[in-house]
Amino acid sequence: MSVTPAIPAEIDAAFARLNAEARSRLIEIRKLIYEVASTTPAIGPLTETLKWGEPAYLTTASKSGTTIRLGVAKSAPDDCAVFFNCKTSLVQQFREQFAGHFLFEGNRALIISGQSDLPVTELSFCIHAALTYHKPVKPAVHE
């Protein structure tokens, strides 16, 4: 059984506004967010909503993490972006650990090309770090 719920209509409408390549990649990242959350019980259920018109994932029930938002960055309109709260140290940490795997926009986003393979292991780490930002727990091994 899949851990990824059906895409709610308002989220699907937000994805539909994107080009086909970005939409496909961001839906792939959405699935990874739910997979990562399912491997760590402390994260609990995710709330999926729109923030600034873009799909966002929150740990409303557990309050374990900070919001992850999916979209396209102004600095890289042809690529996908995974946005994090700019007041956290997350993107700086990711920049130090994964400089060769992602491009970055300031202290708020990972930029991911739709042209290359998704760096699943590295992105899973980043997602886990965001979803447990307020209550850090060791990530499960995600192969």
Side-chain angles (χ1 to χ4, degrees):
M1 183 173 176
S2 174
V3 296
T4 309
I7 300 175
E10 67 275 10
I11 303 298
D12 196 39
F15 283 134
R17 288 190 290 272
L18 303 169
N19 69 53
E21 188 175 272
R23 179 174 49 251
S24 176
R25 177 51 55 102
L26 290 173
I27 289 172
E28 185 180 8
I29 294 169
R30 175 189 183 266
K31 181 179 180 205
L32 188 60
I33 290 169
Y34 278 101
E35 287 175 0
V36 169
S38 74
T39 65
T40 308
I43 292 171
L46 297 179
T47 299
E48 185 172 29
T49 189
L50 293 176
K51 296 253 184 203
W52 299 282
E54 296 173 320
Y57 304 86
L58 298 79
T59 58
T60 307
S62 69
K63 303 207 182 312
S64 66
T66 187
T67 301
I68 299 171
R69 189 168 43 92
L70 303 179
V72 176
K74 290 179 181 147
S75 67
D78 295 328
D79 294 317
C80 297
V82 180
F83 296 96
F84 302 93
N85 184 322
C86 64
K87 294 181 180 173
T88 68
S89 59
L90 288 168
V91 174
Q92 181 58 40
Q93 175 188 348
F94 304 155
R95 183 180 281 113
E96 292 168 6
Q97 289 184 268
F98 304 119
H101 297 278
F102 305 105
L103 297 175
F104 300 90
E105 181 176 81
N107 61 346
R108 66 186 215 118
L110 301 178
I111 306 299
I112 301 170
S113 171
Q115 303 294 322
S116 58
D117 290 340
L118 188 66
V120 173
T121 301
E122 296 80 6
L123 186 54
S124 294
F125 177 91
C126 298
I127 291 167
H128 184 273
L131 295 177
T132 60
Y133 185 76
H134 297 296
K135 297 179 182 177
V137 295
K138 185 175 180 180
V141 175
H142 190 77
E143 303 281 330

